[in-house]
Amino acid sequence: MGYFVDTLNSIGATVRNFLRPPVTVNYPAVIRPRPERYHTSFALLHDAPGDELCIGCLACERICPSFVIEIKQAPKRESPVTGKKRGYVEAFTLNLTACIGCELCVQVCPTDALVMLRTPEKPAFCREDLILDVKRLYANEKEKQAAWATGSRLIEMQDPNVGQPKVEKKPAPVAAAPAPAVTPVAASTPAAAPAPVAAEPAAAASEPIKGAS
Amino acid sequence: MAVIEEPRSYFHPLYDVMLSTPGLSVGVAPLDRLLTWGLKNALWVFPMATSCCGIELMASAAARVDLDRMGTIMRASPRQSDVMVVAGTITVKMAPRVRRLWDQMPEPKWCIAMGSCAISGDFYRNLYPVVPGIDTFIPVDVYVPGCPPNPEALMHGLMRLQEKIGLQREGKLVPSEPRPDFDAMVRPPALSRIGDAARAADLSDRQEQAALTMCPDAAPGVVEDEEKGFAQPATQATPPLNTELVELLRDRFGVTEFPLNAPPVVSADKHLELAATLQKMGYRQFLFVAASHRPAKEGSEDLCEVAYGLRTVGAGTKEAIWQVRVPTNQTVPSLVPLFAGADWQEREQYDLVGVKFAGHPDLRRIMMSDDWVGHPLRRDYPADKECAPWR
Amino acid sequence: MIFAASLAAAVVIVVLSATALALWYERKLAARMQTRIGPQFVGPIGLFQPVADLLKLVQKEEIVPMGADRVLFALAPPLTVIFALAAAAFVPLWPGVAVVRSDVGVLLVIGFGGLAMVPVWMAGWASFNKYALLGAMRAVAQSISYGVPLVLAAMVPVILAGTMDLDGITQFQATHHWFGLWPIIPGLPAFILFLLAMLAESNRIPFDIPEAESELVAGVTTEYTGMQFGFVYLAEYVHTVVGAAIGSVMFLGGWDGPFAPGLHWLLLKTLCLFTFIYWIRWTLVRLRADQLMTLCWKWLVPAGLGLVFLSAAWNQTGWSR
């Protein structure tokens, strides 16, 4: 008798589901809102005056558990914007094929130069296409939407004196940053600004996908 | 290193017949478009899911991202599927099976590498049992990056595959983004691979030496120097010794040393007798057998340390742990006749460390593939020498 | 003669195209039951999905496994379709018209249904694959077992109508009552019994242990590729569609209906039964082999025997005359 009742119950369940509207999000046309800390790919950022943020300190390369970051430091030179002498990178290669997305490199970045992106990379036809060189990392800054986390925000979140993260806070104290020449820029960086979760900009939503014919 | 793949394209025999029939050849171009349309929109997936990416693969067929919308369903048999989605780490033992399933799929067929592990081996890529990327043994058409990629990303990957199928059928080479110089830019693997030009001939020997020098340099049974950092300092936190076991070992088995941080050493010929005695005393549960390898040093030979653990059953359980030291080429009496639970565990120790157990009924490899050379957890095992063809 | 031949051709075309539509319909139905959308990208609301599937299957390489019996291996899939289609010949389409009118139509229909197991066994044997062989053995065992309640359930309308002619049964129902509704006691249980046994005969969920993916990869179809697989796949749906048609003829009055009796009523009832069958299919889980046999021999066969006696008793009362 139990089987019989269970059978009737389950038949009722399928009918109830049949009458509900489908929960499917029509992917290529509509992109499901991604959480603000959703992170897939990477970008390097510029600060507000337009100077490169990365100083080539190798912190991310050293902490990466998967050894995917390869940095070639450039000799120190004067910044074209501030005029002070500071470090630059000559080559910054991020091998996305072996990245585990742990976000540690973002966490250790003293200048908030490296961020992860909410917009994923396009699936590639060959694995070399998934290696992000410095050009693509800077291009990603303009093309794609950044995730919430930056180095200073993550530090702030972990500091017990500060407590829970407050996104609207004044420019984050980059206390641990050994970057003398760069002004704290966490909140002023365009891509790191807190973005509304639900409404992705149209440019990010319309990825270069063609629906099946 | 950079591989530009030739467009693979399979044409059914029917196709040749149509091409050679005079009346029909006119219709081939529109027909070809129609057939390509059919191929693109009925991609049945063979789910080669081995780990966490497999969960995302399942989720992509579920309600939120419904792969059925683009005509993709999962088939359990490789004979009826068109796309193999490899989702997860592929080990060296798994790789021949994956290859075999791939070979069983009928042409035309495609492969999607889903997630970092399938693309490159991820951060396991320098480990002895992991294949550094499935494109070392099957051709991959689309790489979906992510760890793991979410269901939408997989669907995007399938759409890229549709794009690629279209280009292949038109006979065009698949375009690639302007690609950076891979060799110059990416750090080579921590261990260079066999066949790499950069690999020095004596590298394997040097690695062997390095492995030897990495070993703790201590006399057996002695509490090691705290400053060296190899041993835990013997503090109050160490669990008290099992006095019953200590008395037994001292009185009947002639053991004199009872270090606080290591199990007492019992000679191999008395080992089985000890286990039988303990079993009669109520230690009826087999806990573990764990082996480790000590390579030869001055004054000591190549040793295997095999630690055994037994436990009483019921309230107030006591544990009895001891170890046996034998030279690597000698055998340790197996506990399988006394404890059936020792069977697979001893097989595992044999497989990974190479301890030979005398009297074991079925001493075969259990984790590595049957044709594996060497025992990977030995200290002198060169991490990249024996794992052909992927290293 | 010419009329019969053209009618047969028409029936084959209609059944095959209905089956193609059924493929789409089932996928849509299943999707909606799981709050999905289902095929969507090809054609309006994914209507061309079966066409795309067919075009793809035609282009796939055809593999014959090493060690397989080549003749049987190639012969089995088309035979499954032919035997599944054969039963459609006896379905009365509108009053007095079927492709083949036979006085023992019920017997022939059930016979062809049972015959459909022969190519399944052929496929399982010829594949030289243990999964295929195990699947075929399960399918044959199941088919033989469930043939008994199927016959017993089919006996009820035969006894009630007093004829084995399918058209005669339909005409009796048109003049008296539909057996699925009245007499309620042998009629409705017999209808349910018929549906269950037919589900089991065509190896559909919840009776699909012959192709249990978790144990047997894909059952008898494990080694079939391309269009060979397409045939077996098609045959399953043809079997279900024709089975639904036979069920509606024997228990729901076939072409009979208010206003104008005719083919449209038959199609409508078949569609309803088909929907019901797939509703069940996408709801229930698979039965274990022993549960399957227990259900058949301990419950369905005794129930069927009882129903046969009850319908004979009903005839003796003379209430339906």
Side-chain angles (χ1 to χ4, degrees):
Chain A
M1 203 61 206
Y3 288 129
F4 189 66
V5 174
D6 288 349
T7 305
L8 287 184
N9 271 340
S10 53
I11 286 176
T14 35
V15 170
R16 274 198 302 282
N17 277 334
F18 187 85
L19 299 175
R20 278 165 55 193
V23 296
T24 309
V25 181
N26 203 336
Y27 168 60
V30 185
I31 293 180
R32 186 154 56 114
R34 300 188 177 100
E36 64 172 356
R37 294 200 61 177
Y38 180 83
H39 49 272
T40 54
S41 184
F42 289 89
L44 281 174
L45 302 183
H46 290 87
D47 63 3
D51 201 3
E52 290 179 8
L53 273 173
C54 181
I55 53 170
C57 67
L58 302 184
C60 46
E61 177 178 336
R62 290 196 183 113
I63 203 162
C64 181
S66 193
F67 308 117
V68 299
I69 300 178
E70 178 88 343
I71 296 175
K72 204 168 171 190
Q73 288 165 310
K76 287 193 177 181
R77 60 172 193 266
E78 278 88 31
S79 158
V81 179
T82 58
K84 288 178 185 168
K85 206 170 183 185
R86 51 158 288 191
Y88 280 97
V89 285
E90 189 182 313
F92 191 116
T93 311
L94 205 149
N95 183 356
L96 205 62
T97 61
C99 173
I100 61 170
C102 62
E103 223 175 25
L104 277 173
C105 46
V106 174
Q107 191 169 347
V108 297
C109 185
T111 58
D112 292 353
L114 188 62
V115 292
M116 291 192 78
L117 301 173
R118 286 156 68 180
T119 317
E121 287 293 323
K122 197 160 67 161
F125 290 152
C126 69
R127 65 197 286 178
E128 284 82 3
D129 288 352
L130 293 175
I131 289 161
L132 307 176
D133 58 350
V134 75
K135 265 187 221 143
R136 270 182 79 180
L137 284 166
Y138 278 121
N140 275 351
E141 178 194 4
K142 296 186 187 70
E143 290 164 5
K144 296 180 178 169
Q145 196 188 10
W148 172 83
T150 60
S152 51
R153 277 186 182 157
L154 287 168
I155 288 167
E156 186 185 359
M157 194 172 80
Q158 288 172 356
D159 188 348
N161 300 324
V162 180
Q164 287 302 306
K166 292 190 192 72
V167 178
E168 306 307 331
K169 232 180 159 212
K170 62 192 184 296
V174 196
V182 180
T183 47
V185 283
S188 61
T189 327
V197 181
E200 288 197 312
S206 62
E207 286 172 74
I209 309 166
K210 276 183 228 100
S213 56
Chain B
M1 194 96 179
V3 183
I4 300 175
E5 203 190 312
E6 290 300 311
R8 271 182 305 123
S9 202
Y10 169 84
F11 293 109
H12 197 274
L14 192 71
Y15 228 72
D16 299 335
V17 176
M18 286 192 304
L19 277 174
S20 54
T21 313
L24 275 178
S25 59
V26 188
V28 163
L31 187 69
D32 189 34
R33 276 206 292 281
L34 194 67
L35 291 177
T36 310
W37 173 84
L39 269 187
K40 274 173 161 182
N41 287 299
L43 294 170
W44 293 358
V45 161
F46 180 67
M48 188 66 240
T50 54
S51 46
C52 29
C53 282
I55 302 293
E56 301 291 321
L57 177 59
M58 290 174 220
S60 62
R64 190 80 64 182
V65 180
D66 178 15
L67 280 190
D68 198 15
R69 284 183 299 140
M70 54 188 295
T72 294
I73 52 173
M74 308 273 178
R75 290 298 308 174
S77 168
R79 297 278 194 218
Q80 291 139 24
S81 31
D82 314 298
V83 190
M84 177 187 255
V85 176
V86 183
T89 324
I90 299 299
T91 58
V92 173
K93 189 172 181 179
M94 191 71 187
R97 279 78 179 171
V98 177
R99 174 75 210 197
R100 187 173 188 178
L101 287 164
W102 168 255
D103 288 340
Q104 282 173 346
M105 284 167 62
E107 290 278 354
K109 58 189 172 184
W110 297 276
C111 178
I112 292 182
M114 179 184 180
S116 291
C117 285
I119 299 175
S120 70
D122 207 346
F123 75 160
Y124 317 110
R125 61 193 184 279
N126 289 322
L127 256 55
Y128 66 87
V130 174
V131 176
I134 56 162
D135 49 2
T136 50
F137 63 99
I138 49 177
V140 176
D141 291 284
V142 173
Y143 298 86
V144 184
C147 188
N150 72 351
E152 279 99 342
L154 179 64
M155 186 160 176
H156 194 169
L158 279 163
M159 285 171 171
R160 291 278 284 170
L161 182 61
Q162 288 179 333
E163 228 174 273
K164 184 165 186 171
I165 293 169
L167 291 168
Q168 277 181 350
R169 291 296 286 251
E170 287 166 27
K172 290 181 190 158
L173 260 178
V174 171
S176 146
E177 272 127 53
R179 93 180 40 170
D181 185 2
F182 181 87
D183 293 342
M185 285 168 55
V186 176
R187 180 204 304 256
L191 300 170
S192 55
R193 312 269 159 80
I194 282 181
D196 279 5
R199 184 186 166 95
D202 61 335
L203 185 65
S204 298
D205 302 332
R206 279 197 280 121
Q207 278 169 355
E208 221 164 308
Q209 290 304 313
L212 291 176
T213 50
M214 269 157 57
C215 291
D217 194 5
V222 174
V223 180
E224 284 163 0
D225 191 353
E226 231 176 277
E227 287 168 11
K228 281 192 177 176
F230 288 125
Q232 293 291 322
T235 58
Q236 283 84 354
T238 316
L241 283 172
N242 181 349
T243 49
E244 194 183 33
L245 177 71
V246 169
E247 280 165 20
L248 178 76
L249 286 175
R250 188 189 295 136
D251 300 344
R252 285 184 51 190
F253 293 90
V255 179
T256 51
E257 285 176 7
F258 294 96
L260 281 173
N261 65 336
V265 182
V266 177
S267 69
D269 48 342
K270 289 186 178 169
H271 155 66
L272 207 56
E273 188 191 339
L274 172 65
T277 317
L278 285 169
Q279 194 182 28
K280 284 197 196 92
M281 285 164 64
Y283 292 83
R284 294 206 316 263
Q285 187 186 3
F286 183 81
L287 270 186
F288 64 85
V289 47
S292 59
H293 173 234
R294 277 173 185 270
K297 294 244 166 47
E298 320 81 56
S300 76
E301 47 188 340
D302 210 18
L303 283 179
C304 276
E305 300 175 339
V306 189
Y308 280 92
L310 300 180
R311 187 159 70 178
T312 57
V313 184
T317 56
K318 287 173 286 184
E319 287 175 6
I321 300 172
W322 73 96
Q323 60 168 321
V324 182
R325 284 215 174 100
V326 289
T328 314
N329 51 4
Q330 287 181 23
T331 57
V332 178
S334 169
L335 284 198
V336 178
L338 296 173
F339 298 94
D343 188 346
W344 282 17
Q345 296 204 31
E346 284 182 352
R347 272 178 71 187
E348 183 185 341
Q349 300 311 322
Y350 162 71
D351 188 0
L352 298 179
V353 189
V355 188
K356 293 180 190 65
F357 292 93
H360 192 286
D362 182 28
L363 200 60
R364 284 181 295 127
R365 287 189 181 275
I366 188 169
M367 290 187 146
M368 314 311 297
S369 50
D370 289 334
D371 52 355
W372 192 274
V373 183
H375 303 282
L377 289 192
R378 283 207 177 178
R379 290 296 173 88
D380 55 359
Y381 182 80
D384 66 336
K385 204 160 81 173
E386 308 288 1
C387 318
W390 290 286
R391 286 279 188 273
Chain C
M1 188 61 211
I2 294 166
F3 175 71
S6 52
L7 195 62
V11 165
V12 167
I13 290 166
V14 165
V15 170
L16 285 182
S17 49
T19 308
L21 208 59
L23 284 164
W24 169 84
Y25 180 66
E26 191 222 342
R27 277 169 84 165
K28 274 298 207 192
L29 196 71
R32 289 296 287 109
M33 281 179 186
Q34 297 165 355
T35 61
R36 295 188 284 125
I37 292 178
Q40 185 192 20
F41 289 175
V42 280
I45 53 172
L47 210 52
F48 297 156
Q49 192 59 56
V51 184
D53 284 351
L54 179 81
L55 283 174
K56 184 211 70 175
L57 285 172
V58 163
Q59 291 174 78
K60 293 293 275 189
E61 184 185 8
E62 270 160 26
I63 297 174
V64 182
M66 197 188 282
D69 187 327
R70 288 179 158 269
V71 178
L72 287 185
F73 189 80
L75 211 58
L79 274 185
T80 51
V81 182
I82 289 170
F83 285 149
L85 271 175
F90 305 99
V91 177
L93 301 174
W94 56 87
V97 178
V99 180
V100 180
R101 275 202 67 175
S102 165
D103 288 342
V104 287
V106 176
L107 198 63
L108 285 170
V109 161
I110 291 172
F112 274 113
L115 207 57
M117 277 306 115
V118 176
V120 168
W121 174 252
M122 277 162 63
W125 176 257
S127 290
F128 196 63
N129 179 312
K130 57 191 168 200
Y131 299 118
L133 187 61
L134 280 171
M137 281 163 71
R138 284 183 179 189
V140 171
Q142 184 178 327
S143 175
I144 289 173
S145 304
Y146 277 82
V148 178
L150 186 71
V151 171
L152 291 175
M155 282 296 283
V156 171
V158 168
I159 290 173
L160 290 176
T163 172
M164 286 187 98
D165 183 2
L166 277 169
D167 194 47
I169 291 176
T170 319
Q171 268 169 7
F172 185 89
Q173 291 183 78
T175 51
H176 292 80
H177 41 68
W178 294 358
F179 294 140
L181 304 177
W182 189 261
I184 193 91
I185 270 308
L188 187 61
F191 183 37
I192 294 169
L193 186 60
F194 184 86
L195 279 183
L196 277 179
M198 197 190 68
L199 272 176
E201 277 259 316
S202 53
N203 299 333
R204 307 306 309 198
I205 291 173
F207 305 107
D208 69 333
I209 53 164
E211 54 168 71
E213 279 96 346
S214 48
E215 309 147 31
L216 295 182
V217 187
V220 280
T221 60
T222 301
E223 289 288 354
Y224 280 101
T225 61
M227 211 44 219
Q228 294 281 72
F229 167 70
F231 278 133
V232 183
Y233 194 52
L234 193 69
E236 275 185 22
Y237 284 84
V238 172
H239 210 115
T240 319
V241 169
V242 173
I246 305 272
S248 56
V249 164
M250 300 217 331
F251 290 94
L252 296 179
W255 41 255
D256 178 36
F259 316 119
L263 185 61
H264 51 281
W265 284 112
L266 178 66
L267 291 179
L268 189 66
K269 287 166 187 173
T270 308
L271 182 67
C272 289
L273 266 191
F274 185 84
T275 309
F276 180 74
I277 287 169
Y278 278 92
W279 178 15
I280 298 283
R281 179 191 163 162
W282 286 97
T283 300
L284 296 182
V285 293
R286 184 179 297 140
L287 265 68
R288 226 166 44 213
D290 62 318
Q291 290 169 336
L292 195 79
M293 290 299 154
T294 309
L295 179 69
C296 178
W297 292 105
K298 287 190 185 166
W299 299 99
L300 297 189
V301 171
L305 282 170
L307 288 174
V308 170
F309 281 116
L310 279 177
S311 48
W314 173 268
N315 261 9
Q316 288 305 311
T317 60
W319 289 338
S320 58
R321 297 226 155 71

